[in-house]
């Protein structure tokens, strides 16, 4: 088990460990979900800033839906970190950070107290757009091309959870992932100068994570 964990690239590994630890803490009644969700009132008026982080690590109680989201997030986040962001940890963290800020801003508009599954769909969507010709076999049964993967997973999430609310969470994650992909793979290609804080991590973050 330890060897398997250490083979996962560092950003995905940290996200996975924190997510599992958070759900286990709730399951063991160490903390309650009401202490973890995000709202502007709780985070700022009640001065509970940790909610801006914990909302991204709680995937719900241990269940089939929990396993579904955690498995696919870990799989495609790992592949994205090992391919597009190989030796570029700061840029991957920057993508997730900017995506998190977008989701926090969207949270009150769509009444999303927990943003973990939405953020998990960002690397899934990014990977699918950067590997458009790659065939994907869902559970070894359904064969689709990579660009259709996010929508297929949204549909599966809807079926597993039994509620359209899960689909909304995941679709918003896809929308934020589309913005991230567009800025990096479309807009950045057309820019004069080729550098922007929206597509590349600042030098201070690169130094902090040892990328320069």
């Amino acid at each position: 088990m330890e060897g398997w964990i250490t083979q996962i690239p560092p950003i995905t590994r940290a996200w996975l460990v924190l997510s599992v630890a958070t759900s286990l803490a709730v399951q063991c009644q160490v903390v309650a979900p009401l202490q973890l969700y995000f709202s502007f009132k709780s985070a700022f008026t009640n001065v509970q800033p940790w909610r801006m982080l914990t909302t991204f690590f709680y995937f719900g109680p241990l269940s089939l839906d929990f396993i579904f989201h955690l498995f696919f997030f870990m799989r495609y986040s790992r592949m994205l970190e090992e391919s597009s962001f190989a030796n570029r940890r700061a840029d991957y963290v920057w993508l997730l950070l900017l995506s998190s800020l977008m989701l926090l801003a969207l949270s009150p508009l769509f009444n999303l107290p927990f943003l973990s599954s939405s953020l998990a769909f960002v690397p899934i969507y990014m990977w699918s757009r950067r590997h458009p010709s790659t065939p994907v076999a869902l559970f070894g049964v359904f064969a689709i091309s990579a660009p259709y993967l996010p929508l297929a997973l949204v549909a599966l999430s809807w079926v597993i959870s039994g509620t359209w609310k899960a689909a909304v969470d995941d679709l918003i994650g896809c929308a934020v992932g589309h913005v991230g992909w567009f800025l990096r793979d479309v807009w950045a290609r057309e820019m004069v100068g080729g550098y922007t804080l929206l597509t590349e991590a600042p030098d201070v973050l690169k130094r902090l994570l040892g990328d320069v």
Side-chain angles (χ1 to χ4, degrees), residues 64-65 69 154-167 170:
L64 182 59
D65 186 64
H69 279 94
V154 168
L156 280 174
S157 178
W158 191 343
V159 171
I160 291 173
S161 65
T163 173
W164 63 269
K165 186 67 166 57
D170 298 341

Side-chain angles (χ1 to χ4, degrees), residues 3-198:
W4 173 77
I5 289 291
T6 57
Q7 291 177 5
I8 301 174
I11 308 305
T12 302
R13 181 171 66 243
W15 191 359
L16 175 66
V17 169
L18 286 170
S19 297
V20 172
T22 301
S23 288
L24 286 176
V26 171
Q27 194 75 16
C28 296
Q29 299 183 348
V30 176
V31 296
L34 288 177
Q35 298 172 284
L36 305 175
Y37 77 91
F38 173 78
S39 74
F40 279 97
K41 180 179 179 181
S42 298
F44 299 107
T45 304
N46 297 340
V47 194
Q48 297 175 349
W50 66 82
R51 294 177 182 272
M52 291 186 288
L53 292 176
T54 55
T55 185
F56 293 109
F57 298 127
Y58 183 56
F59 281 84
L62 301 181
S63 62
L64 182 59
D65 186 64
F66 168 84
I67 295 172
F68 167 82
H69 279 94
L70 211 63
F71 171 79
F72 283 103
F73 130 69
M74 190 272 294
R75 175 179 173 82
Y76 290 101
S77 175
R78 175 178 183 171
M79 291 198 294
L80 186 67
E81 189 175 350
E82 290 177 337
S83 56
S84 298
F85 293 94
N87 301 315
R88 294 170 53 213
R89 287 176 293 183
D91 284 338
Y92 192 39
V93 170
W94 193 239
L95 166 67
L96 297 177
L97 178 59
L98 293 181
S99 299
S100 298
L101 292 175
M102 289 182 61
L103 289 170
L104 289 173
L106 292 171
S107 173
L109 299 179
F110 295 94
N111 190 26
L112 301 177
F114 293 105
L115 300 168
S116 52
S117 62
S118 299
L119 185 60
F121 264 76
V122 171
I124 293 173
Y125 186 91
M126 179 76 74
W127 181 89
S128 72
R129 295 307 297 260
R130 289 190 167 183
H131 299 82
S133 60
T134 302
V136 176
L138 287 178
F139 306 111
V141 178
F142 304 104
I144 59 175
S145 58
Y148 297 103
L149 174 66
L151 292 180
L153 294 181
V154 168
L156 280 174
S157 178
W158 191 343
V159 171
I160 291 173
S161 65
T163 173
W164 63 269
K165 186 67 166 57
V168 172
D169 293 358
D170 298 341
L171 281 172
I172 292 173
C174 290
V176 172
H178 181 79
V179 172
W181 167 78
F182 177 82
L183 289 174
R184 284 164 178 77
D185 293 8
V186 180
W187 185 56
R189 189 170 57 238
E190 307 298 330
M191 283 193 318
V192 177
Y195 173 81
T196 174
L197 280 176
L198 294 177

